[in-house]
Amino acid sequence: MLRTKGIVSLVVLLAMVVVALGSVAAQEEQIELVYWSMWNETEGQALVIQKWIAAFEAEHPNIKINAVWNGRQNQTLVRTALAGGTVIDIVDQDADQIAGGLMQEGFGLRLNDYLEMPALDEDVPLKDVFLPGTLDLFAMDGDIYLLPYIYNTVQFWYDKRVFREVGIEVPLTWEQFLANNDKLREAGYAPIAAEGNEPFYSTFYLANMVARIKGPGFLLQTAEDPTGEMWRDPVYLQTSEMLRLLWDRGDIPAVTLGYVWPQGQNTLAFGEAAQSLVGSWLPIELANMVDPGFEWGGFNFPAVEGGEGSVNDTQALLLAFMIIKDTQHPDEAAEFLRFIMTKENQQLMADESLVGVTRKGIEWAPAIADAQAAAMNAERIFPDVDGVYAKHAEYLNTILGVNYSELWQGKITPQEFVDKMATQSAEYWATH
Amino acid sequence: MRISKRLIILFLLPASALYFWFFLVPTFSALGYSLYDWRGFGTNQSFVGLNNYVELFNDRLFWRSMSNSILILLLGGLIIFGLAFVMTMMITSGIKGRKLFRAIIFLPNVIAVIALTTLWGYLYTPKFGLLGAFFDAIGLDQLAEFPWLGPDTIFWAMLVAIVWIEVGFYLVLFLAGVDKIPEDFYEAARLDGASQFQMFRLITVPLLWDVITVGMVLWSIYAVKIFEFPFSFTGLEPNVNSYTVAVYMYILGFGQRQPIYRLGYATAVGVMLLLVVILVVMVLRRLMRREQLQY
C-alpha cells in the first residue's frame, strides 16, 4: 500500500515537474514582434491593422505584436531608431518611399522564399495571390523585399453625372480628351482641377504622358542619363508642349496657379471642375465635401497616337510592409504578412478603409471600382514619377521637380525646360 | 557673505554638464558629420572632406533658400519692428483699451502654427478665400482670382503672414520695456511742449535701446532658422519658392515625402546656418552698441 502510494506520489510529482517545465518552455516561446507604422492610431487603415493584429494574436497565442503608430514620418523615425539599436521587426510606408530609403540601404529581408509558401486560404503560392506587377514593382535583381498591401491608382477622377449632362464618354485618346474638354468648357465647367504649386501631383502628368508616348521606364532611363542628353529626345518637347496646351486652352484654368493642395481638388467637389488626375484616395478625401449624389468614376490617362505605351499602363502608388532583415523572428514576421494577405483580411481593409488592396479577387469600394478595373487590366504598372521618386529622390526634388514646376506654371517655355533639364542633369550627375 | 569658488563650481556643474552634453557635443559632432557622405542609415559613411561644402556653394536651391531667409530677416525685420514701434507709440499714448489691443495683437503667438498656416492658406485661396470673397464683393474680379499663392507671390504672401504673427511678440516686449521708463520723463517732456513723436524718439527709443537690441537678436535668430511656418504653409510639401535654409536642410536630411536622406550634406547646411546665425548676431551687437543709460 505504502509502495503504491509512493509510486502515485512520484508520478504526480513527475507530472507536476513536466507541466512546470512545459509552462516554462511555453513562456520561453513567447515572441514579441515590433511593428512601426506609417499610420496614426485612429486612422481607418490603422483600425483595420489593429483588427489584423488581434486576430493574428488570437491564432498565435505565443506571438504578440507591439505596434507603434508613428504617422507619415515613420521611415525617418525608424532610421534613427535602428541607428540607436532599437529592435524593430516590421515597418510599413509608401512603397516608393521605403524603396528609396530602408530598402535601398539594405535593411529589408528577402521575401522570395516566403512568397513561394502557399497562401493561407488558397492552394497557390503566396506570390500568386497578388495583383499583376505589384510584387515586382520594386524588386531588385529578382529579389523582393516589399510586400504591398494597399493599391492606389493614378487616374482622372470625375463625376459621372457631369459626363452624362455634357454628353461625353470616357476618353481613350488624347484627341478625345481635348474634345471632351472643349465640351466641358462650353458647358461652364473647368475641365481640369489641379494645384499650381504641388509637384507631387503635377508630375503625374509628366510621368503618364511620357509613359504613353515612350512606354513606362523611359523617364527613369532619362533621369539616369549622366550626360543629360536624353532630355533632348523629342518626347520631352512634345510632352511639354502638350501639357502647356492644357493651360493655354483654359482646360486648366489660370486661377489654378494660386491653388495649393487641397484647394484645386476641392473645386471638383464643389462642382466647378470636372476631372482631376490624382490617386484613387481622392473619393475618400472628398467624401465629406461632395454632394450625396456624386457618382465617382475614374479613367486612365488617355493614349497618345503612335505612342509605345498603352492606355492600360497604370501608375500604381502602393503601400507596403517590409521585414527588417536583422529581426530575430523572420518566420513569425513573415507569417503575419502571409496572414494579412488572406481574402478575409484584405476584404476587411477594402471594406472598412475604402482603399484598393493588392490581393486578387477582392471587391473594392464602389467609389473606386474604376481603380480596381484599371489595376486588374493593367498591362504594365509603373511607380511614382516612373521610379525616379524612389531611386533618385534628390534629383527629383532639386532638378526635375524645380524645372518641371516652372514649366507647369508657365514660367519657362517647353524648349527652355528641355534645355535646362539637359544641362542641369549633366551637372548633377557630374557631382553625384 | 563670500561664496567659495568650489560652491560656485558645484552649482554651475549640472547646468554646464547638460549644456556640454546636449549642445556642445552635438554641435561638434555635426561638424564631423558634415564631412561625410551619409544617409543616416546605420554606419555606412564615407569621408568626403569638404566636398559637401563645395557642393553647397554650387547648389542653386541652397542659395535660393538662403536668399529667402535673408529677405525674411531684413525686410521682415524692418516691417515687424517698424509696426511694433508705431503700435507701441499708439498704445502708450494714453488710449483706452491698451490691454485689449495688446492681447489682440499678441493673439497669433498663442495659436498653433499649423492652424495659422491653414488660416492664411484659405485666406489667400483665389475665389473661395477671404481675400477672393472680399474683392469679389467689391467687384474687383481680377483681384478675386489673383493667384496670391502662385510662384511669383507665394513668398511675399508668406512674409505678410509671418509679420502678422510676429509683430505682437515684439510689441509686448517693447511695451514691457516702456512700462519701466519713469513717467516723470514724459511729464517733463509734456511740460516742455514735446509732441508724442518727439517723446517717443527722444525718450522711449533711447531708454528702450537694450530691449530693442535683445528683440533684434531674438528676431535674427528666429528669422534665419525659421522653419515651421514655411514648412506647413504650402500644402503637402514645402514649395521651393518659399524654402528657407532650415526647410531645405530638413528636406535633405529628414525627408518629407521624398526619401532623399542626405544627412551628411544636410548637416553641412546646418553648419552654414549656425555660422550665419553667429555672424548676424555679432554684426547686430556691434551695430547696436551704445552707451548705457541709467534711470
Side-chain angles (χ1 to χ4, degrees):
Chain A
M1 185 67 185
L2 268 176
R3 197 176 167 192
T4 310
K5 272 190 177 174
I7 291 170
V8 169
S9 303
L10 192 65
V11 169
V12 170
L13 188 67
L14 276 173
M16 286 170 70
V17 169
V18 167
V19 169
L21 284 174
S23 161
V24 169
Q27 276 178 2
E28 279 173 359
E29 283 170 15
Q30 279 294 324
I31 289 167
E32 185 187 67
L33 294 175
V34 180
Y35 156 53
W36 280 35
S37 174
M38 64 168 286
W39 303 106
N40 296 301
E41 194 168 0
T42 53
E43 285 182 277
Q45 290 86 340
L47 296 177
V48 172
I49 293 172
Q50 286 161 34
K51 287 183 182 174
W52 286 349
I53 290 172
F56 181 76
E57 286 176 344
E59 278 191 22
H60 302 82
N62 64 324
I63 303 177
K64 174 157 178 42
I65 298 181
N66 180 14
V68 180
W69 308 100
N70 285 322
R72 304 300 182 274
Q73 291 291 316
N74 189 39
Q75 181 167 232
T76 305
L77 297 171
V78 169
R79 176 182 69 164
T80 312
L82 288 176
T86 305
V87 174
I88 301 170
D89 302 290
I90 304 169
V91 296
D92 67 346
Q93 194 80 43
D94 292 63
D96 294 86
Q97 293 171 16
I98 204 164
L102 287 161
M103 190 187 113
Q104 205 174 80
E105 290 296 312
F107 281 82
L109 181 77
R110 186 175 173 275
L111 298 176
N112 295 46
D113 294 339
Y114 293 110
L115 291 164
E116 292 296 338
M117 292 168 70
L120 282 176
D121 57 352
E122 205 174 334
D123 194 19
V124 294
L126 183 61
K127 66 178 185 183
D128 291 345
V129 307
F130 287 84
L131 281 167
T134 52
L135 267 180
D136 301 322
L137 196 59
F138 294 103
M140 282 198 308
D141 302 324
D143 291 336
I144 294 166
Y145 298 94
L146 301 183
L147 188 129
Y149 68 101
I150 288 182
Y151 194 137
N152 294 302
T153 59
V154 174
Q155 295 172 283
F156 277 102
W157 292 94
Y158 67 103
D159 184 350
K160 289 179 179 174
R161 296 175 307 177
V162 172
F163 273 36
R164 280 200 299 272
E165 174 199 327
V166 178
I168 54 177
E169 300 284 332
V170 162
L172 295 175
T173 66
W174 184 252
E175 286 68 30
Q176 288 169 7
F177 179 64
L178 295 182
N180 277 1
N181 292 350
D182 289 337
K183 289 185 179 165
L184 285 164
R185 267 200 320 278
E186 283 163 20
Y189 290 100
I192 295 172
E195 277 83 21
N197 256 327
E198 187 44 73
F200 176 65
Y201 282 5
S202 62
T203 48
F204 290 158
Y205 285 84
L206 174 72
N208 278 278
M209 183 71 86
V210 175
R212 292 293 179 266
I213 300 173
K214 299 292 278 191
F218 191 79
L219 180 57
L220 176 63
Q221 241 182 302
T222 307
E224 290 178 336
D225 173 22
T227 68
E229 284 306 301
M230 275 185 79
W231 284 103
R232 299 198 188 279
D233 186 290
V235 66
Y236 292 107
L237 193 58
Q238 184 187 356
T239 297
S240 307
E241 286 170 347
M242 288 165 83
L243 293 180
R244 281 307 312 163
L245 190 66
L246 295 177
W247 287 85
D248 297 342
R249 285 163 41 98
D251 293 347
I252 302 175
V255 69
T256 301
L257 205 56
Y259 290 146
V260 295
W261 183 88
Q263 296 161 354
Q265 68 180 32
N266 287 353
T267 61
L268 183 69
F270 298 155
E272 283 227 343
Q275 314 156 99
S276 187
L277 184 64
V278 195
S280 50
W281 55 78
L282 188 69
I284 300 154
E285 274 186 1
L286 297 185
N288 294 328
M289 298 180 72
V290 296
D291 72 67
F294 199 102
E295 290 178 36
W296 283 102
F299 62 88
N300 275 11
F301 199 92
V304 176
E305 196 184 345
E308 294 169 27
S310 154
V311 72
N312 290 326
D313 295 336
T314 301
Q315 186 174 4
L317 304 182
L318 309 175
L319 273 58
F321 281 109
M322 191 181 83
I323 300 174
I324 301 293
K325 73 171 180 191
D326 290 335
T327 176
Q328 297 297 304
H329 310 293
D331 294 345
E332 289 77 7
E335 187 60 18
F336 176 64
L337 299 193
R338 197 155 68 121
F339 177 76
I340 65 135
M341 288 307 298
T342 62
K343 276 187 179 166
E344 185 187 352
N345 283 327
Q346 288 277 290
Q347 192 66 60
L348 187 72
M349 179 62 86
D351 290 345
E352 297 200 1
S353 305
L354 308 177
V355 293
V357 290
T358 50
R359 171 140 187 175
K360 291 175 189 165
I362 304 297
E363 199 173 326
W364 297 11
I368 54 169
D370 288 334
Q372 181 172 21
M376 288 172 69
N377 298 330
E379 290 168 26
R380 290 172 289 188
I381 63 173
F382 55 99
D384 203 7
V385 200
D386 204 19
V388 181
Y389 185 110
K391 292 195 170 171
H392 308 293
E394 187 185 358
Y395 174 84
L396 174 62
N397 194 65
T398 59
I399 307 291
L400 177 53
V402 173
N403 290 318
Y404 177 71
S405 286
E406 289 189 350
L407 170 75
W408 176 255
Q409 294 159 346
K411 289 177 71 72
I412 56 175
T413 65
Q415 186 60 54
E416 284 170 335
F417 170 70
V418 167
D419 292 341
K420 282 179 115 177
M421 283 309 301
T423 314
Q424 292 181 16
S425 295
E427 287 170 10
Y428 177 87
W429 289 118
T431 56
H432 286 76
Chain B
M1 188 178 72
R2 192 158 179 266
I3 302 171
S4 77
K5 275 188 180 172
R6 279 187 185 176
L7 195 63
I8 293 173
I9 291 171
L10 192 68
F11 279 130
L12 284 176
L13 203 60
S16 304
L18 288 174
Y19 183 76
F20 175 79
W21 191 249
F22 289 109
F23 183 76
L24 291 181
V25 170
T27 302
F28 286 105
S29 302
L31 283 174
Y33 289 134
S34 73
L35 305 176
Y36 284 84
D37 184 16
W38 181 39
R39 293 192 78 199
F41 293 97
T43 53
N44 189 16
Q45 308 172 341
S46 57
F47 183 75
V48 293
L50 294 174
N51 280 6
N52 283 336
Y53 291 93
V54 174
E55 189 182 335
L56 208 55
F57 278 96
N58 297 306
D59 183 338
R60 292 180 192 87
L61 270 187
F62 171 72
W63 290 111
R64 189 192 281 198
S65 312
M66 183 61 86
S67 136
N68 284 345
S69 292
I70 300 285
L71 265 176
I72 292 171
L73 169 70
L74 296 179
L75 191 58
L78 197 69
I79 300 169
I80 286 171
F81 281 80
L83 284 174
F85 279 137
V86 171
M87 288 176 182
T88 304
M89 195 165 70
M90 288 165 67
I91 289 178
T92 55
S93 66
I95 57 164
K96 282 186 180 173
R98 170 188 159 132
K99 283 185 180 171
L100 178 70
F101 285 124
R102 190 175 59 184
I104 290 172
I105 297 165
F106 186 74
L107 192 64
N109 283 272
V110 297
I111 299 174
V113 172
I114 193 73
L116 294 172
T117 53
T118 307
L119 168 76
W120 278 91
Y122 275 96
L123 190 140
Y124 284 129
T125 306
K127 289 169 79 174
F128 309 108
L130 199 60
L131 274 180
F134 170 73
F135 287 122
D136 196 35
I138 60 173
L140 297 172
D141 294 345
Q142 276 199 325
L143 277 178
E145 297 203 359
F146 186 81
W148 303 104
L149 299 178
D152 296 330
T153 45
I154 192 164
F155 173 79
W156 304 108
M158 181 177 80
L159 190 62
V160 168
I162 291 171
V163 167
W164 177 78
I165 295 165
E166 293 303 320
V167 74
F169 176 79
Y170 295 96
L171 171 69
V172 168
L173 198 69
F174 292 166
L175 285 176
V178 168
D179 284 344
K180 295 261 175 359
I181 301 174
E183 186 57 27
D184 309 357
F185 292 13
Y186 293 106
E187 278 176 20
R190 275 190 211 102
L191 288 174
D192 286 342
S195 69
Q196 194 67 32
F197 179 70
Q198 282 173 320
M199 286 193 286
F200 184 77
R201 189 169 66 87
L202 299 170
I203 298 174
T204 308
V205 172
L207 294 182
L208 211 56
W209 196 255
D210 284 351
V211 178
I212 295 170
T213 306
V214 170
M216 283 188 170
V217 169
L218 287 177
W219 166 250
S220 304
I221 295 170
Y222 174 80
V224 173
K225 61 188 186 67
I226 190 168
F227 174 78
E228 298 93 333
F229 199 92
F231 185 75
S232 50
F233 182 53
T234 53
L236 283 178
E237 298 169 272
N239 190 280
V240 290
N241 296 301
S242 53
Y243 267 12
T244 60
V245 181
V247 169
Y248 188 46
M249 179 184 72
Y250 184 83
I251 295 286
L252 287 171
F254 299 94
Q256 166 65 355
R257 290 183 156 261
Q258 293 154 0
I260 298 175
Y261 297 128
R262 285 197 69 196
L263 202 57
Y265 187 54
T267 310
V269 176
V271 170
M272 293 300 291
L273 191 63
L274 179 69
L275 292 178
V276 171
V277 169
I278 292 171
L279 183 72
V280 167
V281 171
M282 280 171 64
V283 168
L284 203 59
R285 291 190 70 85
R286 187 158 191 87
L287 287 176
M288 300 295 287
R289 193 178 293 163
R290 293 280 191 283
E291 190 183 336
Q292 277 209 333
L293 297 173
Q294 302 288 336
Y295 58 93

